[in-house]
Amino acid sequence: KEPSFWRNLGKLVAEISETMSEVKCDDFVRHHSWDPFQAHKTLEDVKKHFPGDKNTKCKRRSIIVSLKTIENNLKGFTKQLVHSDINEYNIIVGEDEEVAIIDFNDTIRSYRVF
């Protein structure tokens, strides 16, 4: 893609983020395993799914350490509504490089990290 595409996409994501920061609604507090704000619940799930052998225990320990590190480092970030699913399938590009974001179904209240 052209640099203008990435610039337009970045501006749009920033605008969405700013607008969502003004919304105060607890309806979007729910558990998603990829949500850093919910790392403690994900830890519980990991413990259930990796009960087995030495290799499994090693994987489980790596995931637990990673999640605890994430959880500890996010404490200074602002919590707000975030789209949480911006990917190539949720970006619409017009002929003139105009960019739009769709699919706000995974919006959650979590950490804003940028």
Side-chain angles (χ1 to χ4, degrees), residues 2-71:
E2 295 294 320
S4 62
F5 165 79
W6 298 110
R7 190 170 31 258
N8 291 342
L9 179 59
K11 286 179 183 178
L12 180 60
V13 170
E15 288 172 14
I16 290 171
S17 181
E18 284 300 313
T19 301
M20 291 177 104
S21 73
E22 298 168 7
V23 177
K24 307 298 180 206
C25 180
D26 290 332
D27 291 345
F28 295 94
V29 176
R30 55 187 184 229
H31 176 62
H32 287 293
S33 58
W34 61 86
D35 175 13
F37 184 58
Q38 302 292 328
H40 60 283
K41 289 183 181 175
T42 302
L43 279 172
E44 293 168 15
D45 293 343
V46 166
K47 290 174 183 175
K48 289 180 210 169
H49 294 297
F50 289 96
D53 64 30
K54 183 179 175 184
N55 289 333
T56 302
K57 287 180 182 179
C58 182
K59 290 175 191 173
R60 173 183 156 176
R61 181 73 186 137
S62 296
I63 292 169
I64 289 170
V65 167
S66 298
L67 288 170
K68 285 184 179 181
T69 301
I70 289 168
E71 199 170 41

Side-chain angles (χ1 to χ4, degrees), residues 83-101:
H83 183 283
S84 81
D85 193 25
I86 296 176
N87 62 61
E88 65 272 19
Y89 300 107
N90 291 333
I91 299 169
I92 298 174
V93 182
E95 291 179 17
D96 57 354
E97 296 277 331
E98 289 247 357
V99 181
I101 304 288

